Amino acid sequence: MKKLLKTALLLSSIAMYCVVPRAVAKDDDNPRKITIGLIATTTAEDTQKRWQPVIDDFARYTKMEVRTVVSTNYNDILNGLKTNTIQVAWLSSKIALEAVEDNQSTVFAQMVKQDGSHGYNSVLITPAKSPIKSFEDILANKGVYSFYDGDKSSTSGYLVPAYYAFAKNKVEPERLFKSIVVGNHKKNLQAVINGQVDVATNNTEELDRLKKESPEQLSKLRVIWSSPLIPNDPLLYRKDLPAASKARIEEFFVTYGKPKNPASQPDVLQKILDLSGFQHSTDAQLKPIADLTMFGLLRNNMYDTKLSTAQKQKAFEDITARFGKLSMALEMARLR
């Protein structure tokens, strides 16, 4: 019996010896290919050009074959994360919230600006020669001015002004402006500079970039409203990536732009939204955005004339239950 027991223990040890190294090797070696998704706040071509040196450095640092997907449609990048055609992504906070909510992806880093700030502001802009000097001028002239709004997937272009500028003042853009066009940061900026629209949404990141690259263009517009600070955009990766791969990806980004990363190119980062680098982060940074998103859904539900009182009550209960669960998960991320 003792001999049989010794033989069993020996075979068990051999089995463990054989299995463990293979598991580690698999974690270290895969994936050899990875796709990074980037939202384009200007054009896909411009974003690709600004990010390409970082992507090239990332490929060398991680020894992975890297493919990029760049789109002005933020949902393209979100869907790529959900379907695993994209494994790492830069998203706006609003869309990142959706990625985190399905529990397939998580925030691992946050952008940091040259001045060390961890946030930016949503703004409303007008042509410099406009008679509009403040947001109050718009409120006092309902139905007079035209408006370029942001895409509903945009945090600073839509969600933040919808809450802080309009809802807080108990007005709806549809009842405030004579016409509304949905654009993006680049289109809105150009429309104001060209005098094609009276008011448009934008953010301080784009204005800072314009100040450096084309100050004469910046002089053609005026900021009439600015929001509270918005957390800088996050970077996410899929949770099902091997642990070793996630560690290597995170290590690259949080050290990029710093002396201890020899691959760093600080001048490249400045061309990407005036960044100095990235810092560790978690899903918790999305909590303010979750609160704003819940508000937006409740507001839309309240004013939806197609719904009965009972339907509105049911929607209210569903929304509050959904965001109660999500807020709890985000708070737990803060404690980890």
Side-chain angles (χ1 to χ4, degrees):
M1 179 64 73
K2 289 182 179 180
K3 187 176 181 180
L4 287 173
L5 182 58
K6 287 181 179 180
T7 303
L9 289 171
L10 178 61
L11 290 173
S12 176
S13 298
I14 291 171
M16 288 178 66
Y17 177 81
C18 293
V19 170
V20 172
R22 276 201 294 268
V24 172
K26 182 178 180 182
D27 197 48
D28 283 338
D29 292 344
N30 291 315
R32 303 311 302 163
K33 298 180 180 179
I34 200 164
T35 300
I36 298 178
L38 303 171
I39 55 173
T41 57
T42 52
T43 65
E45 294 76 18
D46 178 63
T47 300
Q48 181 77 54
K49 180 180 178 182
R50 292 175 187 273
W51 276 86
Q52 193 59 53
V54 178
I55 300 301
D56 293 340
D57 289 337
F58 175 87
R60 284 189 288 270
Y61 193 87
T62 60
K63 296 180 174 59
M64 294 181 186
E65 182 182 329
V66 183
R67 173 177 170 266
T68 55
V69 175
V70 185
S71 179
T72 55
N73 185 341
Y74 296 4
N75 283 309
D76 288 345
I77 310 302
L78 173 64
N79 292 333
L81 271 179
K82 288 185 174 182
T83 59
N84 201 21
T85 56
I86 291 172
Q87 291 77 44
V88 179
W90 163 37
L91 287 173
S92 74
S93 294
K94 184 176 184 296
I95 295 298
L97 189 67
E98 294 184 46
V100 164
E101 189 175 6
D102 72 6
N103 205 36
Q104 290 181 317
S105 301
T106 188
V107 172
F108 70 89
Q110 180 186 32
M111 294 175 165
V112 179
K113 297 301 183 63
Q114 280 289 320
D115 61 4
S117 65
H118 299 148
Y120 61 107
N121 305 90
S122 172
V123 295
L124 294 179
I125 56 176
T126 66
K129 297 180 180 179
S130 169
I132 304 171
K133 299 295 191 299
S134 68
F135 187 67
E136 286 67 30
D137 290 338
I138 301 173
L139 296 175
N141 292 278
K142 292 182 179 180
V144 174
Y145 301 116
S146 58
F147 179 52
Y148 268 39
D149 204 353
D151 185 278
K152 289 190 176 182
S153 297
S154 174
T155 303
S156 62
Y158 174 79
L159 184 62
V160 171
Y163 177 68
Y164 286 107
F166 302 118
K168 284 278 192 178
N169 285 286
K170 300 179 180 179
V171 293
E172 297 176 60
E174 293 78 10
R175 292 188 171 94
L176 184 59
F177 298 102
K178 68 177 180 182
S179 65
I180 298 177
V181 173
V182 176
N184 59 33
H185 297 315
K186 183 179 177 64
K187 290 179 181 177
N188 290 7
L189 202 59
Q190 205 57 52
V192 170
I193 290 170
N194 294 339
Q196 297 169 336
V197 66
D198 296 310
V199 186
T201 65
N202 220 276
N203 65 45
T204 51
E205 290 182 328
E206 296 299 324
L207 299 189
D208 288 344
R209 178 155 59 187
L210 189 66
K211 182 179 181 179
K212 289 187 175 183
E213 298 177 0
S214 187
E216 72 283 356
Q217 296 279 52
L218 184 67
S219 66
K220 295 180 180 180
L221 59 85
R222 174 191 298 131
V223 175
I224 61 163
W225 175 87
S226 183
S227 75
L229 198 70
I230 307 166
N232 285 339
D233 287 347
L235 299 181
L236 303 90
Y237 51 45
R238 281 184 58 89
K239 289 184 174 181
D240 58 4
L241 281 172
S245 298
K246 289 191 283 190
R248 190 68 169 159
I249 290 166
E250 191 166 344
E251 181 182 52
F252 169 80
F253 279 106
V254 299
T255 61
Y256 198 79
K258 300 175 178 65
K260 61 182 177 180
N261 185 336
S264 298
Q265 298 187 61
D267 58 319
V268 167
L269 285 169
Q270 291 179 32
K271 295 176 182 177
I272 304 174
L273 301 176
D274 198 32
L275 300 181
S276 66
F278 308 88
Q279 67 171 10
H280 285 288
S281 189
T282 68
D283 297 343
Q285 80 163 78
L286 301 175
K287 181 64 168 62
I289 307 303
D291 294 341
L292 284 174
T293 303
M294 181 176 71
F295 159 79
L297 292 173
L298 290 174
R299 176 174 173 270
N300 290 342
N301 177 57
M302 182 186 301
Y303 289 108
D304 193 338
T305 57
K306 296 178 182 179
L307 298 180
S308 66
T309 301
Q311 288 173 321
K312 287 184 178 182
Q313 180 60 33
K314 177 63 168 57
F316 173 83
E317 291 170 0
D318 290 344
I319 292 168
T320 52
R322 172 192 168 192
F323 280 89
K325 180 181 177 182
L326 180 56
S327 292
M328 186 177 296
L330 297 179
E331 284 296 341
M332 291 298 292
R334 192 187 307 278
L335 300 175
R336 287 200 293 269

